[in-house]
Amino acid sequence: MKQQEFAGRRKELMEIAGNGSIIIQPSSQEHVRNRDVYYPYRPDSDFHFLTGFGEPLSVAVLIPGRPQGEFILFCREKDQDAEIWHGRRSGLEGACTFYGADDAFPIEDLDEILPGLLENKDRIYYTMGRYADFDQRVIGWLNHVTEMARAGVHAPDQFISLSHLVHEMRLIKSPAEIRVMRRAAAISSTAHSRAMKITKPGLFEYQVEAEIMHSFMDQGSRSPAYPSIVGAGRNSCILHYTENNEKLKNGDMLLIDAGAEVESYASDITRTFPVNGKFSRNQKIVYEIVLAAQLAAIAEVKPGNRWNQPHDAAVAVITEGLLDMGILKGSLQKLIQTEACRPYYMHKTGHWLGMDVHDVGDYKIADQWRVFEPGMVTTIEPGLYFSAFTKGLPKKWHNIGIRIEDDVLVTSSGCDVLSDAPKTVKEIEDLMRAVH
Ligand code: GLY
Ligand code: MN
Ligand code: MN
């Protein structure tokens, strides 16, 4: 993404905050995996949204109207020895040249410099509660400045939640963000198609996961946006199954929920298909209900409609399907009202998608479900899960778990489905027949 994109976001945020304010946004901490091995570093999404800077130990400070420059980046200095061992650093100069900082200081000097930047400001914009250690430091700096009141220094007396402002900005995606999200969805769609092509009885779930990971990386995505779910048979009925270590059996369905991350943007796609490439009669009955629910829900994603409408549409189709199957009995309206489908469909139909897989942004405003606006991206992911443990469920449905999930962009006239892996029974069977 180009530097202007990040600069534009900072400008927009600073215009909202106004002169007299200081905005403080640290990046995330590094996490130990074991002893001296760290998990791959992933910057804080809000920090990344405002800077595009991907190195650990960094803090962005924005001061609207500061004559010497409004964007200050604290980061690691260049260090030849450390860089030979651990990799390149931008350094202070690079922070200015490549990331548009007006001033850059060593991260070690944060405690020394920050109190001075708080002097004579009215408002601090900061997200409390995300990084406990950092919260303590912010309070310490504030106390330090407050103590200087006798010397005529005015300390900020308003503490405002930064996350709310940034999250509202993140909710509406720019054309540049949409391009990246399209790419993430396309990479994942290709990976799902590949998984369908190699799947056959006798493979282990992790071998299918390996194919997905290979496909993500081969296409330039270095990480999934969340741990991939690859569950066959009974495992398809566990919503967040990630063991991925059982053998695929002839006659089972395989549920794969996997999405690539590209430039810190997520995709989130689920496909479910028969391990042997051919739906049984019962699998097909369940699949067609979930697919119809998904299409009905997608049709409700358009500007002016409210957040709950896709879910309500999916629930109506699923409840009617369960009634037709004889699993539910009674009047359709009543069954919908009482959420009778919940033992078999126990999650919501979607969530915002963006830099975080379960992305930020309010779902309700003033107690009303939010109205869709162009630039929002949501998943649409209804499912039906017939676990062997579900009371009173005839055995013939046991261990069929189906979810179908796509990434859907709200456009000015309706919506655009960003993901496009095979989805109908015919598309899936045709693809799998062609290779088996
Ligand atoms: N992959 C997590 C979800 O679908 O929400
Ligand atoms: Mn998912
Ligand atoms: Mn999802």
Side-chain angles (χ1 to χ4, degrees):
M1 226 173 259
K2 294 210 174 85
Q3 264 318 301
Q4 296 116 272
E5 177 80 12
F6 298 102
R9 295 170 187 172
R10 291 191 295 269
K11 184 162 178 280
E12 187 183 335
L13 180 60
M14 284 194 277
E15 268 164 19
I16 300 170
N19 284 1
S21 50
I22 176 166
I23 297 163
I24 306 171
Q25 177 64 62
S27 196
S28 53
Q29 283 147 5
E30 293 177 281
H31 294 285
V32 172
R33 182 181 184 277
N34 59 294
R35 201 163 153 82
D36 58 352
V37 177
Y38 285 79
Y39 284 103
Y41 183 69
R42 165 64 157 74
D44 176 274
S45 296
D46 287 345
F47 176 85
H48 194 265
F49 180 78
L50 293 172
T51 64
F53 194 70
E55 294 180 25
L57 293 168
S58 6
V59 176
V61 176
L62 305 179
I63 305 180
R66 178 173 176 262
Q68 311 91 304
E70 298 178 310
F71 173 28
I72 304 166
L73 195 54
F74 291 85
C75 62
R76 300 177 307 186
E77 288 182 274
K78 283 199 84 66
D79 174 336
Q80 221 169 46
D81 273 352
E83 289 182 58
I84 283 173
W85 282 89
H86 303 296
R88 295 186 185 89
R89 298 176 175 188
S90 302
L92 307 182
E93 243 184 79
C96 298
T97 318
F98 304 119
Y99 295 91
D102 298 306
D103 261 340
F105 298 110
I107 188 71
E108 291 81 10
D109 295 352
L110 190 62
D111 288 316
E112 199 178 304
I113 295 174
L114 225 290
L117 297 176
L118 293 183
E119 284 179 15
N120 301 320
K121 302 291 179 307
D122 304 321
R123 299 175 298 284
I124 300 181
Y125 285 82
Y126 174 71
T127 303
M128 268 287 172
R130 196 179 306 159
Y131 304 110
D133 292 354
F134 204 86
D135 290 353
Q136 290 311 312
R137 292 173 77 182
V138 173
I139 292 166
W141 300 328
L142 183 58
N143 287 342
H144 184 88
V145 186
T146 308
E147 280 163 18
M148 288 164 61
R150 267 167 302 174
V153 171
H154 160 70
D157 55 7
Q158 291 179 56
F159 219 95
I160 302 171
S161 162
L162 174 61
S163 58
H164 191 257
L165 289 185
V166 177
H167 294 177
E168 282 301 297
M169 289 170 66
R170 280 175 53 189
L171 178 59
I172 310 288
K173 274 72 182 174
S174 69
E177 290 179 291
I178 292 166
R179 274 196 296 279
V180 175
M181 292 191 73
R182 254 185 220 291
R183 189 151 157 261
I187 288 174
S188 305
S189 302
T190 301
H192 277 268
S193 300
R194 279 186 67 131
M196 284 178 197
K197 285 184 199 161
I198 63 119
T199 292
K200 59 182 181 201
L203 287 183
F204 281 84
E205 292 163 345
Y206 53 74
Q207 291 179 289
V208 182
E209 183 185 10
E211 191 69 20
I212 299 232
M213 291 294 290
H214 173 89
S215 184
F216 284 179
M217 285 219 186
D218 189 48
Q219 298 177 81
S221 160
R222 294 294 310 281
S223 174
Y226 54 91
S228 303
I229 296 166
V230 182
R234 61 183 189 150
N235 301 332
S236 65
C237 300
I238 302 172
L239 300 183
H240 286 166
Y241 172 79
T242 51
E243 280 93 343
N244 302 355
N245 59 6
E246 289 193 348
K247 205 183 234 187
L248 309 184
K249 291 202 287 289
N250 194 12
D252 277 351
M253 293 294 282
L254 177 62
L255 184 152
I256 303 179
D257 184 343
E261 187 181 84
V262 174
E263 291 184 45
S264 291
Y265 285 82
S267 55
D268 183 8
I269 300 178
T270 308
R271 288 292 183 267
T272 315
F273 52 94
V275 163
N276 63 16
K278 179 104 186 88
F279 285 80
S280 73
R281 203 169 144 262
N282 289 339
Q283 287 166 350
K284 189 169 166 191
I285 289 170
V286 185
Y287 192 88
E288 295 289 14
I289 293 169
V290 177
L291 181 57
Q294 205 229 14
L295 297 177
I298 289 173
E300 296 297 325
V301 181
K302 53 184 165 195
N305 269 13
R306 287 188 187 273
W307 167 257
N308 59 309
Q309 286 176 261
H311 181 66
D312 292 350
V315 165
V317 173
I318 280 176
T319 309
E320 192 172 6
L322 291 167
L323 200 53
D324 292 343
M325 290 168 74
I327 290 174
L328 293 180
K329 293 185 176 63
S331 102
L332 178 60
Q333 280 321 310
K334 200 148 197 173
L335 292 168
I336 291 172
Q337 266 166 25
T338 57
E339 298 186 358
C341 68
R342 276 193 77 87
Y344 320 97
Y345 179 36
M346 59 296 276
H347 58 79
K348 286 279 186 207
T349 299
H351 49 82
W352 302 132
L353 184 72
M355 298 183 93
D356 294 310
V357 61
H358 296 156
D359 206 31
V360 295
D362 290 336
Y363 290 95
K364 275 189 167 176
I365 291 179
D367 231 25
Q368 294 273 330
W369 289 114
R370 189 160 199 151
V371 174
F372 285 118
E373 294 171 47
M376 292 173 168
V377 180
T378 180
T379 65
I380 294 292
E381 51 176 307
L384 270 172
Y385 309 93
F386 294 131
S387 154
F389 304 112
T390 316
K391 278 202 195 76
L393 186 70
K395 202 156 178 275
K396 64 176 177 176
W397 305 115
H398 282 185
N399 301 327
I400 301 179
I402 289 164
R403 175 163 68 253
I404 308 173
E405 174 173 30
D406 282 302
D407 304 342
V408 182
L409 165 72
V410 185
T411 63
S412 55
S413 57
C415 73
D416 187 0
V417 181
L418 305 179
S419 35
D420 68 351
K423 188 156 79 166
T424 64
V425 167
K426 184 170 183 328
E427 283 165 356
I428 291 171
E429 288 188 343
D430 285 353
L431 178 70
M432 294 183 77
R433 191 182 312 113
V435 290
H436 281 138

